Amino acid sequence: MPTFALSRREMLVGAGSAALAVGFVEPAMAAGEIQLATGQNWTGWNLGDFRVLAVSDGKLGLGSPANWFAGLPVEKIEAVLKENFLDTTSISLAENILLLDTGQRLVMFDTGTGGNPMLGDTAGRLMASLAAAGVDPAAVDDVILSHGHPDHIFGLLGPDGKPAFPNAQVHISEVDFRFCTDDANASDPKVGAFVPEMKRQLLGVGDRIAMIRDGLEIVPGVTAIAAPGHTFGHMVFMLESGGKTLLNAADLAHHYAIFTRHPEVNFVSDQNPQMMAATRMRMFDMIATDRLSFVGYHFPFPGYGHLAKAQQGFEYIPASLDTI
Ligand SMILES: [Zn+2]
């Protein structure tokens, strides 16, 4: 005899209504049982004829903000954090992965940390989030990498060392591909420790790599735009359909509050912080002037919003999600 457990909510509805209550989602949690990590860490919206899903890989804990922003006194950092109702002693960055369904291709941008312990234990949730969103990794046609950093490419391979997205072509700038696969860069003071794993990940999908460059339309409706400085081959992407546009801004900015108020600040993990600050200021100005919508990889989930010019720097205005 088929059986099913009644949730507390169904029991409250009463036995007479049980037939109507079967559709309630299990498990139903009550006081003392609510868990934050089991949520469906994805959301989506329309972009012209395309559909966009933002899927969370979790977050990166950076610890004390004092170590990350060169040239900005710690009092100023704390003031911005405080104004934004954030913890002034420890900062974290979201990891927002975009999926774009063009109707012809399913495109994913970046792959998260893959749960690599070098990046902490609060990221690496991509596969669980994809499962929650009902996306089969084998259905992804293209993985477009914004750059070669570990929090973007360490999810290329599964725990078995095989491609985690077995049918996907992988796109990355040639500059970053060469940097990440060159043993000589293991002595790089900023990312050298990651180079052996960067190389393993990228060569693990080496038979399906395609190089991208500034201005290339990678798949119809997705165009690469060079945004150098964070890495020398760092790319952002303009997504366009039916007269609607969305800029996938990747790592144009890391901490949403600090870099919008102080876009000129140098971020210590940028390969060339001055070059990146110039790129950031130029592109922030474009986003605000052209009233573009954008997604920041490290902005608060889903990282989808706009920039308005403010008295000092810019203001980040999260988008109102139109999910229907
Ligand atoms: Zn990043």
Side-chain angles (χ1 to χ4, degrees):
M1 183 178 106
T3 58
F4 62 89
L6 283 176
S7 70
R8 285 162 198 243
R9 197 169 167 192
E10 288 162 346
M11 282 188 270
L12 287 175
V13 170
S17 309
L20 291 174
V22 169
F24 280 128
V25 174
E26 293 285 356
M29 291 186 283
E33 298 173 353
I34 297 293
Q35 292 183 38
L36 298 180
T38 57
Q40 295 184 333
N41 292 321
W42 62 277
T43 188
W45 61 91
N46 293 305
L47 180 74
D49 299 325
F50 294 172
R51 278 163 305 288
V52 179
L53 283 186
V55 179
S56 177
D57 187 52
K59 65 180 178 180
L60 296 174
L62 296 191
S64 171
N67 306 323
W68 293 94
F69 309 98
L72 191 63
V74 75
E75 312 82 67
K76 284 201 170 177
I77 296 172
E78 288 182 2
V80 174
L81 294 172
K82 218 168 178 175
E83 273 173 35
N84 286 274
F85 301 91
L86 295 168
D87 185 350
T88 57
T89 61
S90 180
I91 54 174
S92 62
L93 303 176
E95 297 241 299
N96 306 318
I97 289 163
L98 283 190
L99 280 128
L100 184 71
D101 179 359
T102 72
Q104 305 299 318
R105 303 193 71 86
L106 184 57
V107 180
M108 195 176 81
F109 294 88
D110 295 324
T111 66
T113 71
N116 189 301
M118 292 173 93
L119 283 306
D121 60 4
T122 54
R125 310 280 162 84
L126 172 62
M127 287 302 184
S129 297
L130 286 175
V135 177
D136 179 356
V140 176
D141 297 303
D142 298 274
V143 171
I144 299 178
L145 301 171
S146 60
H147 63 295
H149 277 176
D151 53 321
H152 297 254
I153 71 166
F154 279 8
L156 280 170
L157 301 180
D160 58 0
K162 296 196 174 125
F165 304 93
N167 300 313
Q169 181 156 41
V170 176
H171 308 259
I172 186 171
S173 68
E174 186 167 0
V175 172
D176 276 21
F177 181 81
R178 289 198 185 286
F179 181 93
C180 295
T181 55
D182 184 347
D183 293 330
N185 291 321
S187 59
D188 181 89
K190 296 199 176 184
V191 292
F194 295 115
V195 166
E197 179 62 11
M198 288 170 169
K199 182 177 175 182
R200 189 184 77 91
Q201 292 277 342
L202 286 171
L203 295 188
V205 294
D207 60 343
R208 60 199 66 197
I209 291 264
M211 301 299 178
I212 53 179
R213 55 180 159 69
D214 185 34
L216 179 72
E217 188 170 40
I218 303 166
V219 300
V222 179
T223 304
I225 305 171
H230 181 49
T231 64
F232 292 112
H234 179 239
M235 295 275 180
V236 299
F237 306 95
M238 192 65 86
L239 319 182
E240 296 178 276
S241 171
K244 302 283 184 191
T245 57
L246 174 69
L247 181 71
N248 178 352
D251 280 13
L252 193 56
H254 285 75
H255 196 279
Y256 79 100
I258 291 169
F259 282 112
T260 47
R261 176 62 57 84
H262 296 287
E264 75 287 355
V265 160
N266 290 346
F267 189 57
V268 300
S269 89
D270 289 338
Q271 201 70 26
N272 183 327
Q274 292 82 12
M275 184 191 287
M276 192 61 211
T279 296
R280 185 186 306 116
M281 286 191 282
R282 175 168 55 81
M283 290 196 169
F284 271 16
D285 194 72
M286 173 186 78
I287 291 168
T289 304
D290 296 348
R291 298 178 65 83
L292 289 175
S293 60
F294 75 99
V295 168
Y297 188 79
H298 293 299
F299 278 41
F301 182 78
Y304 172 37
H306 300 85
L307 289 179
K309 284 185 183 167
Q311 218 165 27
Q312 182 174 11
F314 298 83
E315 186 183 356
Y316 173 56
I317 301 170
S320 174
L321 277 175
D322 171 19
T323 57
I324 309 293

